Amino acid sequence: MKRKVLICLIVATIGLLAGCSRTPEANQIKRDLIGQTMKSIDGLIWKFNDLSEFQEFRINSRVQQGEMIEYDIGMRLKDATSGRQYLADVLIVYRKSDGAWKLASILNKSLKEVQ
């Protein structure tokens, strides 16, 4: 009986450790962006308020170097109030802290309104 309990504990621990080290995927990145703000070079500001704003979300590339990951992401966003749509290209950086991936920065490469 003790052996079965020990095996269950080992399997559960391995599962927890694997879950903690998973790198962020699209849905997690979107959730992490809620509440964040980005500004374009020409002064256009976008604040992420709700998951419904993401009309399209595409991870173009992902580069991991140790405890840092850079995501090059393309998005089509829709303003919930005005209905206007915007295209955004961003570089999002995550850093591993205390065993979990945390959003570190958002670099807006391009943000423009589309018709």
Side-chain angles (χ1 to χ4, degrees):
M1 181 67 170
K2 288 182 181 180
R3 183 179 170 134
K4 286 182 182 179
V5 171
L6 181 60
I7 291 171
C8 287
L9 285 173
I10 291 170
V11 169
T13 302
I14 291 170
L16 276 172
L17 291 173
C20 290
S21 64
R22 284 191 188 143
T23 59
E25 298 297 329
N27 288 334
Q28 181 63 48
I29 296 169
K30 290 181 205 177
R31 287 191 301 271
D32 290 344
L33 286 172
I34 301 302
Q36 301 292 323
T37 303
M38 65 179 180
K39 185 176 180 181
S40 71
I41 197 163
D42 57 349
L44 186 61
I45 297 173
W46 182 272
K47 180 169 184 193
F48 295 95
N49 293 306
D50 192 82
L51 291 173
S52 65
E53 297 170 342
F54 296 99
Q55 302 298 296
E56 295 175 21
F57 190 91
R58 179 182 65 260
I59 298 175
N60 298 321
S61 67
R62 175 186 170 278
V63 177
Q64 182 173 351
Q65 296 176 334
E67 296 192 345
M68 182 184 78
I69 305 174
E70 292 181 352
Y71 292 90
D72 182 3
I73 296 175
M75 297 179 265
R76 179 181 287 268
L77 303 164
K78 183 176 182 181
D79 185 290
T81 306
S82 69
R84 292 183 175 138
Q85 293 196 22
Y86 298 83
L87 291 178
D89 287 310
V90 297
L91 183 67
I92 295 177
V93 177
Y94 276 82
R95 293 196 188 279
K96 200 169 197 180
S97 174
D98 297 326
W101 291 101
K102 308 278 187 192
L103 179 65
S105 65
I106 305 165
L107 173 64
N108 179 18
K109 299 187 322 184
S110 168
L111 177 64
K112 60 184 176 183
E113 186 176 355
V114 292
Q115 302 300 330

